[in-house]
């Protein structure tokens, strides 16, 4: 009954991962069909309205290079050199992410990125089907049913294999789970977020430093801001759901303004629609999704947020999803059989997804509570000096995650060793003048081997 060619695959979701995977596979001669619930963003504008930006780091950039999309995307990217920390008294301090401007991250526009990827997917020969929301799957017969939400019309197609790139609320994941238990667990964070906007300055131009990721760390909560190329910033406010200062207690325009007056005084003048936006937008939930299994034989596999949604605090959700796409395309090219390719993909990527999920949770505490501490700043200073002394062995945590392509699991394992060295070497010290260099160097040499990057 199945007349599909062997190198044929059906992708669910034309978001960031679905579109990128379509390019990679179509370019290798695959027949690729992509089914997307929403309309074509090239015709109707990107759903979600306002410009929302994402931080792109080396892993994501490398995947874009592989897909031939990097140049087009980077044209509109805004460089972010480091964290611009806004203290309570209004003072600011730039903490660089890397050694120089070759080690930076980039703020890019989600809608433009998605459109660029869809154009390239189509040029590469992938066939895109919009207004097709996955509704039902028959894994035995290999048929899937889609619903057009506008008309209520349904259609059914045959498939060889399905790839679920349909995001954190994946409908394919739910369908797979009905077929066979995936061992799913969602850990909700007890904090959520709201988005706000800093418009351009009255005469044009950015209202605050454009080449940084701004952070207002306030202990139990924080705000951040990423620049957009149209001279605006998207501000994200992260607060606990419950408790004294929380989304439960700060609801009205007046309450939001009073909170910002007290804790984010230098930001309040920059966000004219603070009260309206606060009251209008419900808080976004944050969670980590754990699955024991990402695939059902050779019939279906999940990737990106559908497989391993994470909290946002390392800015790696998209970067990790893009790395997944490169890995899956490689496994599909090197295994004759879908079941083998999917199993190899899951085995390669699951430990790494788990590692970045864990590091993302940890980075929330660092961003909201540590970046303005004296002991943290001393450890950071030592981290940079140890990188100079042992450039092959001691690479700062942030650099391993954001500027290298080593597996996330390796980055996590080395970070834990390095953190212990930093904490022990600075314990009780007021400055680096008293560091016992001989002991520290010896510990680096014995506990960290030479690190080789794939880049
Ligand atoms: P998505 O991009 O969500 O795509 C899923 C697609 O599937 C969508 O187009 C959706 O319409 C479609 N779909 C859904 N259901 C169905 C269905 N039933 N049938 C067919 N199609 C369906 N990551 C970073 O690396 N850096 C950042 O700075 C960053 N910032 C973020 C800011 C915000 C506000 C949010 C929400 C996320 C951020 N992320 C960031 C995470 C990043 O957006 C995700 O990790 C990434 O988009 C995952 O890609 P994906 O393709 O798996 O899912
Ligand atoms: N995602 C980011 C970082 C790390 C910055 C650092 C953090 C908003 C919903 Cl919270 C966050 C980072 O360690 O100095 N890089 O990129 C993006 C982040 O949040 C995004 C904008 C976000 C989901 C809301």
């Amino acid at each position: 009954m199945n007349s599909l060619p062997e190198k044929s695959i059906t992708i669910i979701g034309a978001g960031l991962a679905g579109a990128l995977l379509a390019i990679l596979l179509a370019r290798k001669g695959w027949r690729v069909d992509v089914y997307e619930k929403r309309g074509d963003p090239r015709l109707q504008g990107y759903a979600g309205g306002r410009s929302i930006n994402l931080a792109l780091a080396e892993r994501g950039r490398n995947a874009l290079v592989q897909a031939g999309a990097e140049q087009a995307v980077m044209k509109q990217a805004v460089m972010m050199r480091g964290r611009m920390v806004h203290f309570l008294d209004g003072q600011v301090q730039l903490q660089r992410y890397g050694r120089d401007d070759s080690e930076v991250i980039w703020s890019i526009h989600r809608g433009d990125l998605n459109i660029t990827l869809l154009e390239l997917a189509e040029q590469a020969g992938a066939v895109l089907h919009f207004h097709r929301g996955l509704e039902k799957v028959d894994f035995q017969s290999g048929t899937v049913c889609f619903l057009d939400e506008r008309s209520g019309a349904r259609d059914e197609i045959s498939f060889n294999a399905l790839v679920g790139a349909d995001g954190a609320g994946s409908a394919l994941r739910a369908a797979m789970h009905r077929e066979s238990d995936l061992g799913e667990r969602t850990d909700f964070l007890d904090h959520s977020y709201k988005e706000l906007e800093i418009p351009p300055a009255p005469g044009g131009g950015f209202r605050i430093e454009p080449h940084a990721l701004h952070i207002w760390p306030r202990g139990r909560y924080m705000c951040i801001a990423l620049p957009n190329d149209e001279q605006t910033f998207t501000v994200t406010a992260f607060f606990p759901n419950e408790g004294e200062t929380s989304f439960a207690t700060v609801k009205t325009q007046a309450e939001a303004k009073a909170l910002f007056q007290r804790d984010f005084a230098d930001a309040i003048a920059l966000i004219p629609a603070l009260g309206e936006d606060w009251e209008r937008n419900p808080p976004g939930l944050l969670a980590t999704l754990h699955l024991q299994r990402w695939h059902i034989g050779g019939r279906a596999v999940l990737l990106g947020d559908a497989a391993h949604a994470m909290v946002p605090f390392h800015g790696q959700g998209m970067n990790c999803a893009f790395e997944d796409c490169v890995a899956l395309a490689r496994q599909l090219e090197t295994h004759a059989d879908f079941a083998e390719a999917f199993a190899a993909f899951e085995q390669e990527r699951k430990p790494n997804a788990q590692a970045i999920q864990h590091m993302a949770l940890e980075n929330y505490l660092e961003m909201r509570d540590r970046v303005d501490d004296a002991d943290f700043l001393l450890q950071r200073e030592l981290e940079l000096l140890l990188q100079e002394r042992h450039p092959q062995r001691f690479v700062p945590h942030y650099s391993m995650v954001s500027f290298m392509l080593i597996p996330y699991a390796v980055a996590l394992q080395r970070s834990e060793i390095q953190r212990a060295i930093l904490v022990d070497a600075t314990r009780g010290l007021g400055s680096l003048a008293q560091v016992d260099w001989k002991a520290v160097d010896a510990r680096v040499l014995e506990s960290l081997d030479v690190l080789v990057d794939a880049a």
Side-chain angles (χ1 to χ4, degrees), residues 250-313:
V250 183
K251 286 195 147 134
T252 63
Q253 298 207 15
E255 286 162 349
K257 285 181 187 160
L259 166 64
F260 272 69
Q261 201 59 257
R262 185 189 76 191
D263 288 343
F264 306 99
D266 65 329
I268 193 164
L270 306 170
I271 314 173
L274 169 67
E276 293 83 346
D277 284 356
W278 190 275
E279 226 172 61
R280 191 177 37 230
N281 307 330
L285 302 181
L286 300 168
T288 307
L289 167 76
H290 303 276
L291 292 183
Q292 267 160 30
R293 276 168 297 284
W294 290 7
H295 74 109
I296 297 186
R299 272 305 195 195
V301 68
L302 301 168
L303 55 61
D305 281 8
H308 51 65
M310 64 189 74
V311 297
F313 306 108

Side-chain angles (χ1 to χ4, degrees), residues 96-325:
R96 262 194 180 273
Y97 285 133
R99 285 173 290 194
D100 53 46
D101 280 0
S102 71
E103 294 183 333
V104 297
I105 56 173
W106 301 87
S107 180
I108 57 175
H109 189 280
R110 181 193 290 269
D112 292 348
L113 170 65
N114 206 354
I115 286 172
T116 301
L117 296 177
L118 292 173
E119 291 283 356
L120 289 170
E122 226 164 45
Q123 281 168 26
V127 184
L128 311 177
H129 310 261
F130 293 97
H131 296 292
R132 295 284 180 283
L134 178 137
E135 204 183 35
K136 269 194 314 215
V137 185
D138 185 330
F139 292 96
Q140 266 70 49
S141 65
T143 52
V144 56
C145 178
F146 295 103
L147 171 69
D148 181 340
E149 278 178 355
R150 297 166 307 175
S151 61
R154 294 190 162 75
D155 59 23
E156 208 171 82
I157 60 124
S158 302
F159 66 88
N160 276 347
L162 298 176
V163 178
D166 51 347
S170 173
L172 179 57
R173 187 176 71 234
M176 288 165 69
H177 193 68
R178 282 192 287 273
E179 178 76 11
S180 145
D181 189 349
L182 299 177
E184 178 173 340
R185 189 184 89 231
T186 302
D187 290 340
F188 282 96
L189 197 66
D190 48 3
H191 292 228
S192 301
Y193 71 96
K194 269 186 203 277
E195 282 161 346
L196 306 163
E197 197 190 37
I198 299 178
F206 287 96
R207 300 266 309 247
I208 50 177
E209 167 60 43
H211 296 298
L213 190 156
H214 294 260
I215 309 181
W216 289 259
R218 296 295 182 262
R220 302 231 312 122
Y221 43 87
M222 68 175 186
C223 287
I224 66 167
L226 273 69
N228 290 302
D229 72 331
E230 61 260 47
Q231 306 184 329
T232 62
F233 290 82
T234 304
V235 177
T236 314
F238 295 92
F239 285 91
N241 296 327
E242 307 286 337
E244 202 177 293
T245 303
S246 72
F247 285 119
T249 59
V250 183
K251 286 195 147 134
T252 63
Q253 298 207 15
E255 286 162 349
K257 285 181 187 160
L259 166 64
F260 272 69
Q261 201 59 257
R262 185 189 76 191
D263 288 343
F264 306 99
D266 65 329
I268 193 164
L270 306 170
I271 314 173
L274 169 67
E276 293 83 346
D277 284 356
W278 190 275
E279 226 172 61
R280 191 177 37 230
N281 307 330
L285 302 181
L286 300 168
T288 307
L289 167 76
H290 303 276
L291 292 183
Q292 267 160 30
R293 276 168 297 284
W294 290 7
H295 74 109
I296 297 186
R299 272 305 195 195
V301 68
L302 301 168
L303 55 61
D305 281 8
H308 51 65
M310 64 189 74
V311 297
F313 306 108
H314 233 306
Q316 287 289 316
M318 162 188 64
N319 288 282
C320 180
F322 280 178
E323 242 185 9
D324 287 352
C325 294

Side-chain angles (χ1 to χ4, degrees), residues 390-401:
H390 308 279
Q392 316 240 20
R393 292 174 197 266
F394 199 107
V395 180
H397 163 78
Y398 190 88
S399 302
M400 287 194 286
V401 171

